[in-house]
PDB file of all heavy atoms in Angstrom:
ATOM      1  N   ASP A 998    -153.250 -44.890  23.269  1.00  0.00           N
ATOM      2  CA  ASP A 998    -154.017 -44.900  22.030  1.00  0.00           C
ATOM      3  C   ASP A 998    -153.664 -43.730  21.124  1.00  0.00           C
ATOM      4  O   ASP A 998    -154.458 -43.360  20.256  1.00  0.00           O
ATOM      5  CB  ASP A 998    -155.520 -44.876  22.341  1.00  0.00           C
ATOM      6  CG  ASP A 998    -155.904 -43.647  23.162  1.00  0.00           C
ATOM      7  OD1 ASP A 998    -154.998 -42.908  23.592  1.00  0.00           O
ATOM      8  OD2 ASP A 998    -157.112 -43.413  23.360  1.00  0.00           O
ATOM      9  N   ASP A 999    -152.477 -43.118  21.324  1.00  0.00           N
ATOM     10  CA  ASP A 999    -152.167 -41.894  20.586  1.00  0.00           C
ATOM     11  C   ASP A 999    -152.090 -42.132  19.083  1.00  0.00           C
ATOM     12  O   ASP A 999    -152.534 -41.298  18.290  1.00  0.00           O
ATOM     13  CB  ASP A 999    -150.876 -41.249  21.103  1.00  0.00           C
ATOM     14  CG  ASP A 999    -149.718 -42.223  21.126  1.00  0.00           C
ATOM     15  OD1 ASP A 999    -149.951 -43.425  20.895  1.00  0.00           O
ATOM     16  OD2 ASP A 999    -148.583 -41.782  21.382  1.00  0.00           O
ATOM     17  N   HIS A1000    -151.564 -43.263  18.651  1.00  0.00           N
ATOM     18  CA  HIS A1000    -151.467 -43.526  17.214  1.00  0.00           C
ATOM     19  C   HIS A1000    -152.793 -44.023  16.644  1.00  0.00           C
ATOM     20  O   HIS A1000    -153.215 -43.601  15.569  1.00  0.00           O
ATOM     21  CB  HIS A1000    -150.371 -44.554  16.931  1.00  0.00           C
ATOM     22  CG  HIS A1000    -150.150 -44.797  15.469  1.00  0.00           C
ATOM     23  ND1 HIS A1000    -150.802 -45.801  14.780  1.00  0.00           N
ATOM     24  CD2 HIS A1000    -149.367 -44.160  14.561  1.00  0.00           C
ATOM     25  CE1 HIS A1000    -150.420 -45.773  13.511  1.00  0.00           C
ATOM     26  NE2 HIS A1000    -149.555 -44.793  13.349  1.00  0.00           N
ATOM     27  N   LYS A1001    -153.453 -44.882  17.390  1.00  0.00           N
ATOM     28  CA  LYS A1001    -154.717 -45.461  16.898  1.00  0.00           C
ATOM     29  C   LYS A1001    -155.781 -44.389  16.719  1.00  0.00           C
ATOM     30  O   LYS A1001    -156.564 -44.426  15.765  1.00  0.00           O
ATOM     31  CB  LYS A1001    -155.200 -46.526  17.889  1.00  0.00           C
ATOM     32  CG  LYS A1001    -156.489 -47.216  17.464  1.00  0.00           C
ATOM     33  CD  LYS A1001    -156.912 -48.248  18.490  1.00  0.00           C
ATOM     34  CE  LYS A1001    -157.289 -47.605  19.807  1.00  0.00           C
ATOM     35  NZ  LYS A1001    -157.808 -48.594  20.787  1.00  0.00           N
ATOM     36  N   ASP A1002    -155.817 -43.405  17.629  1.00  0.00           N
ATOM     37  CA  ASP A1002    -156.854 -42.375  17.587  1.00  0.00           C
ATOM     38  C   ASP A1002    -156.375 -41.070  16.966  1.00  0.00           C
ATOM     39  O   ASP A1002    -157.007 -40.028  17.151  1.00  0.00           O
ATOM     40  CB  ASP A1002    -157.367 -42.104  19.007  1.00  0.00           C
ATOM     41  CG  ASP A1002    -158.126 -43.297  19.570  1.00  0.00           C
ATOM     42  OD1 ASP A1002    -158.571 -44.132  18.758  1.00  0.00           O
ATOM     43  OD2 ASP A1002    -158.250 -43.407  20.794  1.00  0.00           O
ATOM     44  N   PHE A1003    -155.270 -41.116  16.254  1.00  0.00           N
ATOM     45  CA  PHE A1003    -154.808 -39.944  15.508  1.00  0.00           C
ATOM     46  C   PHE A1003    -155.515 -39.952  14.158  1.00  0.00           C
ATOM     47  O   PHE A1003    -155.160 -40.683  13.241  1.00  0.00           O
ATOM     48  CB  PHE A1003    -153.286 -40.000  15.334  1.00  0.00           C
ATOM     49  CG  PHE A1003    -152.693 -38.799  14.653  1.00  0.00           C
ATOM     50  CD1 PHE A1003    -152.477 -37.624  15.345  1.00  0.00           C
ATOM     51  CD2 PHE A1003    -152.329 -38.855  13.310  1.00  0.00           C
ATOM     52  CE1 PHE A1003    -151.907 -36.516  14.724  1.00  0.00           C
ATOM     53  CE2 PHE A1003    -151.768 -37.762  12.673  1.00  0.00           C
ATOM     54  CZ  PHE A1003    -151.560 -36.585  13.384  1.00  0.00           C
ATOM     55  N   ASP A1004    -156.561 -39.145  14.033  1.00  0.00           N
ATOM     56  CA  ASP A1004    -157.439 -39.188  12.858  1.00  0.00           C
ATOM     57  C   ASP A1004    -157.111 -38.060  11.888  1.00  0.00           C
ATOM     58  O   ASP A1004    -156.972 -36.899  12.286  1.00  0.00           O
ATOM     59  CB  ASP A1004    -158.904 -39.068  13.288  1.00  0.00           C
ATOM     60  CG  ASP A1004    -159.355 -40.280  14.089  1.00  0.00           C
ATOM     61  OD1 ASP A1004    -158.849 -41.377  13.817  1.00  0.00           O
ATOM     62  OD2 ASP A1004    -160.196 -40.107  14.985  1.00  0.00           O
ATOM     63  N   CYS A1005    -157.013 -38.412  10.612  1.00  0.00           N
ATOM     64  CA  CYS A1005    -156.833 -37.429   9.546  1.00  0.00           C
ATOM     65  C   CYS A1005    -157.993 -37.565   8.552  1.00  0.00           C
ATOM     66  O   CYS A1005    -158.457 -38.677   8.286  1.00  0.00           O
ATOM     67  CB  CYS A1005    -155.500 -37.636   8.823  1.00  0.00           C
ATOM     68  SG  CYS A1005    -154.041 -37.402   9.876  1.00  0.00           S
ATOM     69  N   ASN A1006    -158.427 -36.443   8.002  1.00  0.00           N
ATOM     70  CA  ASN A1006    -159.587 -36.458   7.104  1.00  0.00           C
ATOM     71  C   ASN A1006    -159.167 -36.819   5.669  1.00  0.00           C
ATOM     72  O   ASN A1006    -159.381 -36.061   4.729  1.00  0.00           O
ATOM     73  CB  ASN A1006    -160.319 -35.110   7.131  1.00  0.00           C
ATOM     74  CG  ASN A1006    -159.420 -33.956   6.721  1.00  0.00           C
ATOM     75  OD1 ASN A1006    -158.210 -34.128   6.547  1.00  0.00           O
ATOM     76  ND2 ASN A1006    -160.009 -32.781   6.563  1.00  0.00           N
ATOM     77  N   THR A1007    -158.524 -37.992   5.565  1.00  0.00           N
ATOM     78  CA  THR A1007    -158.137 -38.509   4.256  1.00  0.00           C
ATOM     79  C   THR A1007    -158.041 -40.022   4.339  1.00  0.00           C
ATOM     80  O   THR A1007    -157.773 -40.586   5.401  1.00  0.00           O
ATOM     81  CB  THR A1007    -156.783 -37.928   3.805  1.00  0.00           C
ATOM     82  OG1 THR A1007    -156.438 -38.470   2.522  1.00  0.00           O
ATOM     83  CG2 THR A1007    -155.681 -38.292   4.791  1.00  0.00           C
ATOM     84  N   LEU A1008    -158.249 -40.668   3.201  1.00  0.00           N
ATOM     85  CA  LEU A1008    -158.090 -42.120   3.107  1.00  0.00           C
ATOM     86  C   LEU A1008    -156.836 -42.493   2.327  1.00  0.00           C
ATOM     87  O   LEU A1008    -156.627 -43.661   2.008  1.00  0.00           O
ATOM     88  CB  LEU A1008    -159.318 -42.750   2.446  1.00  0.00           C
ATOM     89  CG  LEU A1008    -160.650 -42.570   3.205  1.00  0.00           C
ATOM     90  CD1 LEU A1008    -161.794 -43.198   2.407  1.00  0.00           C
ATOM     91  CD2 LEU A1008    -160.558 -43.200   4.589  1.00  0.00           C
ATOM     92  N   GLN A1009    -155.994 -41.509   2.021  1.00  0.00           N
ATOM     93  CA  GLN A1009    -154.764 -41.765   1.274  1.00  0.00           C
ATOM     94  C   GLN A1009    -153.856 -42.690   2.084  1.00  0.00           C
ATOM     95  O   GLN A1009    -153.487 -42.371   3.217  1.00  0.00           O
ATOM     96  CB  GLN A1009    -154.043 -40.444   0.989  1.00  0.00           C
ATOM     97  CG  GLN A1009    -152.696 -40.602   0.293  1.00  0.00           C
ATOM     98  CD  GLN A1009    -152.853 -41.114  -1.141  1.00  0.00           C
ATOM     99  OE1 GLN A1009    -153.843 -40.818  -1.806  1.00  0.00           O
ATOM    100  NE2 GLN A1009    -151.886 -41.883  -1.594  1.00  0.00           N
ATOM    101  N   PRO A1010    -153.477 -43.843   1.550  1.00  0.00           N
ATOM    102  CA  PRO A1010    -152.606 -44.771   2.294  1.00  0.00           C
ATOM    103  C   PRO A1010    -151.271 -44.112   2.654  1.00  0.00           C
ATOM    104  O   PRO A1010    -150.625 -43.469   1.820  1.00  0.00           O
ATOM    105  CB  PRO A1010    -152.398 -45.926   1.313  1.00  0.00           C
ATOM    106  CG  PRO A1010    -153.571 -45.849   0.383  1.00  0.00           C
ATOM    107  CD  PRO A1010    -153.892 -44.394   0.245  1.00  0.00           C
ATOM    108  N   GLY A1011    -150.883 -44.263   3.895  1.00  0.00           N
ATOM    109  CA  GLY A1011    -149.602 -43.756   4.366  1.00  0.00           C
ATOM    110  C   GLY A1011    -149.627 -42.331   4.872  1.00  0.00           C
ATOM    111  O   GLY A1011    -148.711 -41.911   5.587  1.00  0.00           O
ATOM    112  N   CYS A1012    -150.639 -41.559   4.540  1.00  0.00           N
ATOM    113  CA  CYS A1012    -150.686 -40.151   4.939  1.00  0.00           C
ATOM    114  C   CYS A1012    -150.768 -40.011   6.457  1.00  0.00           C
ATOM    115  O   CYS A1012    -150.039 -39.212   7.059  1.00  0.00           O
ATOM    116  CB  CYS A1012    -151.861 -39.445   4.264  1.00  0.00           C
ATOM    117  SG  CYS A1012    -152.031 -37.700   4.722  1.00  0.00           S
ATOM    118  N   THR A1013    -151.653 -40.753   7.079  1.00  0.00           N
ATOM    119  CA  THR A1013    -151.812 -40.656   8.535  1.00  0.00           C
ATOM    120  C   THR A1013    -150.531 -41.037   9.266  1.00  0.00           C
ATOM    121  O   THR A1013    -150.126 -40.373  10.229  1.00  0.00           O
ATOM    122  CB  THR A1013    -152.971 -41.560   9.000  1.00  0.00           C
ATOM    123  OG1 THR A1013    -154.185 -41.153   8.351  1.00  0.00           O
ATOM    124  CG2 THR A1013    -153.157 -41.474  10.507  1.00  0.00           C
ATOM    125  N   ASN A1014    -149.874 -42.108   8.799  1.00  0.00           N
ATOM    126  CA  ASN A1014    -148.635 -42.535   9.455  1.00  0.00           C
ATOM    127  C   ASN A1014    -147.541 -41.484   9.335  1.00  0.00           C
ATOM    128  O   ASN A1014    -146.795 -41.216  10.293  1.00  0.00           O
ATOM    129  CB  ASN A1014    -148.151 -43.850   8.847  1.00  0.00           C
ATOM    130  CG  ASN A1014    -149.017 -45.021   9.240  1.00  0.00           C
ATOM    131  OD1 ASN A1014    -149.669 -44.993  10.278  1.00  0.00           O
ATOM    132  ND2 ASN A1014    -149.038 -46.058   8.409  1.00  0.00           N
ATOM    133  N   VAL A1015    -147.417 -40.881   8.155  1.00  0.00           N
ATOM    134  CA  VAL A1015    -146.390 -39.864   7.944  1.00  0.00           C
ATOM    135  C   VAL A1015    -146.661 -38.639   8.808  1.00  0.00           C
ATOM    136  O   VAL A1015    -145.747 -38.080   9.431  1.00  0.00           O
ATOM    137  CB  VAL A1015    -146.318 -39.481   6.450  1.00  0.00           C
ATOM    138  CG1 VAL A1015    -145.444 -38.243   6.248  1.00  0.00           C
ATOM    139  CG2 VAL A1015    -145.776 -40.633   5.622  1.00  0.00           C
ATOM    140  N   CYS A1016    -147.910 -38.209   8.873  1.00  0.00           N
ATOM    141  CA  CYS A1016    -148.257 -37.035   9.672  1.00  0.00           C
ATOM    142  C   CYS A1016    -148.062 -37.310  11.163  1.00  0.00           C
ATOM    143  O   CYS A1016    -147.572 -36.442  11.903  1.00  0.00           O
ATOM    144  CB  CYS A1016    -149.708 -36.635   9.401  1.00  0.00           C
ATOM    145  SG  CYS A1016    -149.985 -36.028   7.720  1.00  0.00           S
ATOM    146  N   PHE A1017    -148.424 -38.498  11.600  1.00  0.00           N
ATOM    147  CA  PHE A1017    -148.232 -38.840  13.016  1.00  0.00           C
ATOM    148  C   PHE A1017    -146.749 -38.830  13.374  1.00  0.00           C
ATOM    149  O   PHE A1017    -146.352 -38.314  14.424  1.00  0.00           O
ATOM    150  CB  PHE A1017    -148.837 -40.214  13.307  1.00  0.00           C
ATOM    151  CG  PHE A1017    -148.676 -40.650  14.734  1.00  0.00           C
ATOM    152  CD1 PHE A1017    -149.578 -40.222  15.699  1.00  0.00           C
ATOM    153  CD2 PHE A1017    -147.635 -41.483  15.105  1.00  0.00           C
ATOM    154  CE1 PHE A1017    -149.427 -40.607  17.028  1.00  0.00           C
ATOM    155  CE2 PHE A1017    -147.479 -41.866  16.439  1.00  0.00           C
ATOM    156  CZ  PHE A1017    -148.374 -41.432  17.391  1.00  0.00           C
ATOM    157  N   ASP A1018    -145.923 -39.390  12.495  1.00  0.00           N
ATOM    158  CA  ASP A1018    -144.482 -39.420  12.757  1.00  0.00           C
ATOM    159  C   ASP A1018    -143.897 -38.008  12.785  1.00  0.00           C
ATOM    160  O   ASP A1018    -142.950 -37.735  13.528  1.00  0.00           O
ATOM    161  CB  ASP A1018    -143.777 -40.259  11.691  1.00  0.00           C
ATOM    162  CG  ASP A1018    -142.287 -40.365  11.930  1.00  0.00           C
ATOM    163  OD1 ASP A1018    -141.891 -41.015  12.915  1.00  0.00           O
ATOM    164  OD2 ASP A1018    -141.506 -39.788  11.136  1.00  0.00           O
ATOM    165  N   HIS A1019    -144.467 -37.110  11.993  1.00  0.00           N
ATOM    166  CA  HIS A1019    -143.962 -35.739  11.954  1.00  0.00           C
ATOM    167  C   HIS A1019    -144.302 -34.976  13.229  1.00  0.00           C
ATOM    168  O   HIS A1019    -143.454 -34.253  13.772  1.00  0.00           O
ATOM    169  CB  HIS A1019    -144.558 -35.008  10.744  1.00  0.00           C
ATOM    170  CG  HIS A1019    -144.152 -33.569  10.642  1.00  0.00           C
ATOM    171  ND1 HIS A1019    -142.881 -33.174  10.285  1.00  0.00           N
ATOM    172  CD2 HIS A1019    -144.861 -32.416  10.871  1.00  0.00           C
ATOM    173  CE1 HIS A1019    -142.810 -31.855  10.283  1.00  0.00           C
ATOM    174  NE2 HIS A1019    -143.994 -31.375  10.631  1.00  0.00           N
ATOM    175  N   PHE A1020    -145.517 -35.126  13.721  1.00  0.00           N
ATOM    176  CA  PHE A1020    -145.945 -34.383  14.898  1.00  0.00           C
ATOM    177  C   PHE A1020    -145.612 -35.093  16.209  1.00  0.00           C
ATOM    178  O   PHE A1020    -145.571 -34.462  17.259  1.00  0.00           O
ATOM    179  CB  PHE A1020    -147.445 -34.110  14.833  1.00  0.00           C
ATOM    180  CG  PHE A1020    -147.828 -33.142  13.747  1.00  0.00           C
ATOM    181  CD1 PHE A1020    -148.443 -33.589  12.586  1.00  0.00           C
ATOM    182  CD2 PHE A1020    -147.544 -31.795  13.866  1.00  0.00           C
ATOM    183  CE1 PHE A1020    -148.786 -32.695  11.579  1.00  0.00           C
ATOM    184  CE2 PHE A1020    -147.884 -30.900  12.866  1.00  0.00           C
ATOM    185  CZ  PHE A1020    -148.502 -31.354  11.713  1.00  0.00           C
ATOM    186  N   PHE A1021    -145.361 -36.406  16.154  1.00  0.00           N
ATOM    187  CA  PHE A1021    -144.959 -37.170  17.332  1.00  0.00           C
ATOM    188  C   PHE A1021    -143.663 -37.927  17.023  1.00  0.00           C
ATOM    189  O   PHE A1021    -143.671 -39.149  16.897  1.00  0.00           O
ATOM    190  CB  PHE A1021    -146.047 -38.167  17.755  1.00  0.00           C
ATOM    191  CG  PHE A1021    -147.276 -37.524  18.318  1.00  0.00           C
ATOM    192  CD1 PHE A1021    -148.320 -37.143  17.488  1.00  0.00           C
ATOM    193  CD2 PHE A1021    -147.394 -37.300  19.682  1.00  0.00           C
ATOM    194  CE1 PHE A1021    -149.459 -36.554  17.999  1.00  0.00           C
ATOM    195  CE2 PHE A1021    -148.538 -36.713  20.202  1.00  0.00           C
ATOM    196  CZ  PHE A1021    -149.575 -36.333  19.358  1.00  0.00           C
ATOM    197  N   PRO A1022    -142.539 -37.221  16.856  1.00  0.00           N
ATOM    198  CA  PRO A1022    -141.287 -37.906  16.511  1.00  0.00           C
ATOM    199  C   PRO A1022    -140.871 -38.935  17.557  1.00  0.00           C
ATOM    200  O   PRO A1022    -140.321 -39.982  17.221  1.00  0.00           O
ATOM    201  CB  PRO A1022    -140.275 -36.764  16.408  1.00  0.00           C
ATOM    202  CG  PRO A1022    -140.886 -35.639  17.191  1.00  0.00           C
ATOM    203  CD  PRO A1022    -142.355 -35.771  17.034  1.00  0.00           C
ATOM    204  N   VAL A1023    -141.119 -38.634  18.832  1.00  0.00           N
ATOM    205  CA  VAL A1023    -140.858 -39.580  19.925  1.00  0.00           C
ATOM    206  C   VAL A1023    -142.026 -39.481  20.897  1.00  0.00           C
ATOM    207  O   VAL A1023    -142.461 -38.377  21.250  1.00  0.00           O
ATOM    208  CB  VAL A1023    -139.540 -39.267  20.660  1.00  0.00           C
ATOM    209  CG1 VAL A1023    -139.274 -40.312  21.740  1.00  0.00           C
ATOM    210  CG2 VAL A1023    -138.370 -39.218  19.692  1.00  0.00           C
ATOM    211  N   SER A1024    -142.500 -40.622  21.328  1.00  0.00           N
ATOM    212  CA  SER A1024    -143.634 -40.645  22.243  1.00  0.00           C
ATOM    213  C   SER A1024    -143.257 -40.058  23.605  1.00  0.00           C
ATOM    214  O   SER A1024    -142.146 -40.252  24.102  1.00  0.00           O
ATOM    215  CB  SER A1024    -144.131 -42.080  22.427  1.00  0.00           C
ATOM    216  OG  SER A1024    -145.115 -42.152  23.431  1.00  0.00           O
ATOM    217  N   HIS A1025    -144.210 -39.343  24.208  1.00  0.00           N
ATOM    218  CA  HIS A1025    -143.988 -38.788  25.545  1.00  0.00           C
ATOM    219  C   HIS A1025    -143.608 -39.878  26.548  1.00  0.00           C
ATOM    220  O   HIS A1025    -142.661 -39.709  27.321  1.00  0.00           O
ATOM    221  CB  HIS A1025    -145.264 -38.089  26.034  1.00  0.00           C
ATOM    222  CG  HIS A1025    -145.499 -36.747  25.423  1.00  0.00           C
ATOM    223  ND1 HIS A1025    -145.781 -36.573  24.095  1.00  0.00           N
ATOM    224  CD2 HIS A1025    -145.495 -35.496  25.977  1.00  0.00           C
ATOM    225  CE1 HIS A1025    -145.958 -35.282  23.838  1.00  0.00           C
ATOM    226  NE2 HIS A1025    -145.788 -34.605  24.954  1.00  0.00           N
ATOM    227  N   ILE A1026    -144.366 -40.962  26.542  1.00  0.00           N
ATOM    228  CA  ILE A1026    -144.138 -41.980  27.567  1.00  0.00           C
ATOM    229  C   ILE A1026    -142.786 -42.662  27.403  1.00  0.00           C
ATOM    230  O   ILE A1026    -142.153 -43.051  28.388  1.00  0.00           O
ATOM    231  CB  ILE A1026    -145.275 -43.026  27.580  1.00  0.00           C
ATOM    232  CG1 ILE A1026    -145.446 -43.688  26.208  1.00  0.00           C
ATOM    233  CG2 ILE A1026    -146.571 -42.413  28.041  1.00  0.00           C
ATOM    234  CD1 ILE A1026    -146.440 -44.832  26.223  1.00  0.00           C
ATOM    235  N   ARG A1027    -142.298 -42.814  26.157  1.00  0.00           N
ATOM    236  CA  ARG A1027    -140.979 -43.413  25.960  1.00  0.00           C
ATOM    237  C   ARG A1027    -139.876 -42.463  26.410  1.00  0.00           C
ATOM    238  O   ARG A1027    -138.872 -42.890  26.988  1.00  0.00           O
ATOM    239  CB  ARG A1027    -140.803 -43.808  24.496  1.00  0.00           C
ATOM    240  CG  ARG A1027    -141.687 -44.982  24.090  1.00  0.00           C
ATOM    241  CD  ARG A1027    -141.497 -45.379  22.631  1.00  0.00           C
ATOM    242  NE  ARG A1027    -142.333 -46.511  22.278  1.00  0.00           N
ATOM    243  CZ  ARG A1027    -143.591 -46.421  21.875  1.00  0.00           C
ATOM    244  NH1 ARG A1027    -144.155 -45.228  21.770  1.00  0.00           N
ATOM    245  NH2 ARG A1027    -144.295 -47.494  21.577  1.00  0.00           N
ATOM    246  N   LEU A1028    -140.063 -41.181  26.150  1.00  0.00           N
ATOM    247  CA  LEU A1028    -139.086 -40.201  26.646  1.00  0.00           C
ATOM    248  C   LEU A1028    -139.092 -40.157  28.172  1.00  0.00           C
ATOM    249  O   LEU A1028    -138.030 -40.088  28.799  1.00  0.00           O
ATOM    250  CB  LEU A1028    -139.399 -38.817  26.071  1.00  0.00           C
ATOM    251  CG  LEU A1028    -138.852 -38.507  24.675  1.00  0.00           C
ATOM    252  CD1 LEU A1028    -139.337 -37.136  24.220  1.00  0.00           C
ATOM    253  CD2 LEU A1028    -137.324 -38.544  24.666  1.00  0.00           C
ATOM    254  N   TRP A1029    -140.273 -40.188  28.765  1.00  0.00           N
ATOM    255  CA  TRP A1029    -140.344 -40.180  30.222  1.00  0.00           C
ATOM    256  C   TRP A1029    -139.737 -41.448  30.806  1.00  0.00           C
ATOM    257  O   TRP A1029    -139.075 -41.395  31.851  1.00  0.00           O
ATOM    258  CB  TRP A1029    -141.794 -40.046  30.675  1.00  0.00           C
ATOM    259  CG  TRP A1029    -142.304 -38.639  30.610  1.00  0.00           C
ATOM    260  CD1 TRP A1029    -141.580 -37.488  30.790  1.00  0.00           C
ATOM    261  CD2 TRP A1029    -143.649 -38.227  30.337  1.00  0.00           C
ATOM    262  NE1 TRP A1029    -142.387 -36.399  30.645  1.00  0.00           N
ATOM    263  CE2 TRP A1029    -143.667 -36.803  30.373  1.00  0.00           C
ATOM    264  CE3 TRP A1029    -144.830 -38.898  30.080  1.00  0.00           C
ATOM    265  CZ2 TRP A1029    -144.830 -36.064  30.158  1.00  0.00           C
ATOM    266  CZ3 TRP A1029    -145.986 -38.162  29.862  1.00  0.00           C
ATOM    267  CH2 TRP A1029    -145.981 -36.766  29.900  1.00  0.00           C
ATOM    268  N   ALA A1030    -139.950 -42.592  30.157  1.00  0.00           N
ATOM    269  CA  ALA A1030    -139.360 -43.836  30.644  1.00  0.00           C
ATOM    270  C   ALA A1030    -137.839 -43.751  30.615  1.00  0.00           C
ATOM    271  O   ALA A1030    -137.158 -44.113  31.591  1.00  0.00           O
ATOM    272  CB  ALA A1030    -139.843 -45.014  29.796  1.00  0.00           C
ATOM    273  N   LEU A1031    -137.292 -43.265  29.497  1.00  0.00           N
ATOM    274  CA  LEU A1031    -135.839 -43.109  29.390  1.00  0.00           C
ATOM    275  C   LEU A1031    -135.322 -42.107  30.417  1.00  0.00           C
ATOM    276  O   LEU A1031    -134.267 -42.319  31.034  1.00  0.00           O
ATOM    277  CB  LEU A1031    -135.480 -42.660  27.975  1.00  0.00           C
ATOM    278  CG  LEU A1031    -133.985 -42.483  27.672  1.00  0.00           C
ATOM    279  CD1 LEU A1031    -133.230 -43.780  27.879  1.00  0.00           C
ATOM    280  CD2 LEU A1031    -133.790 -41.958  26.256  1.00  0.00           C
ATOM    281  N   GLN A1032    -136.066 -41.037  30.625  1.00  0.00           N
ATOM    282  CA  GLN A1032    -135.664 -40.025  31.598  1.00  0.00           C
ATOM    283  C   GLN A1032    -135.627 -40.602  33.012  1.00  0.00           C
ATOM    284  O   GLN A1032    -134.671 -40.372  33.764  1.00  0.00           O
ATOM    285  CB  GLN A1032    -136.622 -38.839  31.534  1.00  0.00           C
ATOM    286  CG  GLN A1032    -136.282 -37.702  32.495  1.00  0.00           C
ATOM    287  CD  GLN A1032    -137.288 -36.569  32.407  1.00  0.00           C
ATOM    288  OE1 GLN A1032    -138.282 -36.656  31.693  1.00  0.00           O
ATOM    289  NE2 GLN A1032    -137.035 -35.493  33.122  1.00  0.00           N
ATOM    290  N   LEU A1033    -136.664 -41.361  33.385  1.00  0.00           N
ATOM    291  CA  LEU A1033    -136.705 -41.953  34.725  1.00  0.00           C
ATOM    292  C   LEU A1033    -135.583 -42.962  34.932  1.00  0.00           C
ATOM    293  O   LEU A1033    -135.011 -43.050  36.024  1.00  0.00           O
ATOM    294  CB  LEU A1033    -138.069 -42.611  34.951  1.00  0.00           C
ATOM    295  CG  LEU A1033    -139.247 -41.652  35.158  1.00  0.00           C
ATOM    296  CD1 LEU A1033    -140.559 -42.413  35.138  1.00  0.00           C
ATOM    297  CD2 LEU A1033    -139.087 -40.890  36.469  1.00  0.00           C
ATOM    298  N   ILE A1034    -135.260 -43.719  33.884  1.00  0.00           N
ATOM    299  CA  ILE A1034    -134.162 -44.681  33.994  1.00  0.00           C
ATOM    300  C   ILE A1034    -132.837 -43.956  34.224  1.00  0.00           C
ATOM    301  O   ILE A1034    -132.062 -44.294  35.130  1.00  0.00           O
ATOM    302  CB  ILE A1034    -134.083 -45.556  32.729  1.00  0.00           C
ATOM    303  CG1 ILE A1034    -135.288 -46.494  32.651  1.00  0.00           C
ATOM    304  CG2 ILE A1034    -132.794 -46.374  32.708  1.00  0.00           C
ATOM    305  CD1 ILE A1034    -135.402 -47.241  31.338  1.00  0.00           C
ATOM    306  N   MET A1035    -132.579 -42.938  33.413  1.00  0.00           N
ATOM    307  CA  MET A1035    -131.304 -42.236  33.498  1.00  0.00           C
ATOM    308  C   MET A1035    -131.171 -41.421  34.779  1.00  0.00           C
ATOM    309  O   MET A1035    -130.075 -41.276  35.325  1.00  0.00           O
ATOM    310  CB  MET A1035    -131.133 -41.332  32.276  1.00  0.00           C
ATOM    311  CG  MET A1035    -130.998 -42.076  30.967  1.00  0.00           C
ATOM    312  SD  MET A1035    -130.596 -40.996  29.582  1.00  0.00           S
ATOM    313  CE  MET A1035    -128.944 -40.459  30.033  1.00  0.00           C
ATOM    314  N   VAL A1036    -132.284 -40.883  35.281  1.00  0.00           N
ATOM    315  CA  VAL A1036    -132.206 -40.037  36.461  1.00  0.00           C
ATOM    316  C   VAL A1036    -132.063 -40.856  37.743  1.00  0.00           C
ATOM    317  O   VAL A1036    -131.640 -40.326  38.780  1.00  0.00           O
ATOM    318  CB  VAL A1036    -133.446 -39.118  36.534  1.00  0.00           C
ATOM    319  CG1 VAL A1036    -134.620 -39.791  37.218  1.00  0.00           C
ATOM    320  CG2 VAL A1036    -133.110 -37.811  37.233  1.00  0.00           C
ATOM    321  N   THR A1037    -132.408 -42.147  37.707  1.00  0.00           N
ATOM    322  CA  THR A1037    -132.267 -42.992  38.891  1.00  0.00           C
ATOM    323  C   THR A1037    -130.977 -43.801  38.892  1.00  0.00           C
ATOM    324  O   THR A1037    -130.576 -44.296  39.944  1.00  0.00           O
ATOM    325  CB  THR A1037    -133.451 -43.954  39.015  1.00  0.00           C
ATOM    326  OG1 THR A1037    -133.639 -44.660  37.778  1.00  0.00           O
ATOM    327  CG2 THR A1037    -134.727 -43.211  39.358  1.00  0.00           C
TER     328      THR A1037
END
């Protein structure tokens, strides 16, 4: 729920998505999934 529950105190369209992408460029779980695949 990291994207759904990433709350910003603004209603400006697109602001929340841009800020989320800036602070979460790649999701932890996707990086861990790629890491586990490559390490095995």
Side-chain angles (χ1 to χ4, degrees):
D998 58 353
D999 53 352
H1000 184 268
K1001 181 180 66 175
D1002 292 340
F1003 184 79
D1004 293 328
C1005 297
N1006 59 352
T1007 180
L1008 298 178
Q1009 176 68 32
C1012 179
T1013 301
N1014 288 335
V1015 169
C1016 293
F1017 180 84
D1018 182 68
H1019 177 72
F1020 292 106
F1021 290 89
V1023 183
S1024 173
H1025 283 67
I1026 57 173
R1027 291 181 179 86
L1028 276 176
W1029 280 329
L1031 182 60
Q1032 181 181 4
L1033 287 171
I1034 291 171
M1035 294 187 67
V1036 86
T1037 52

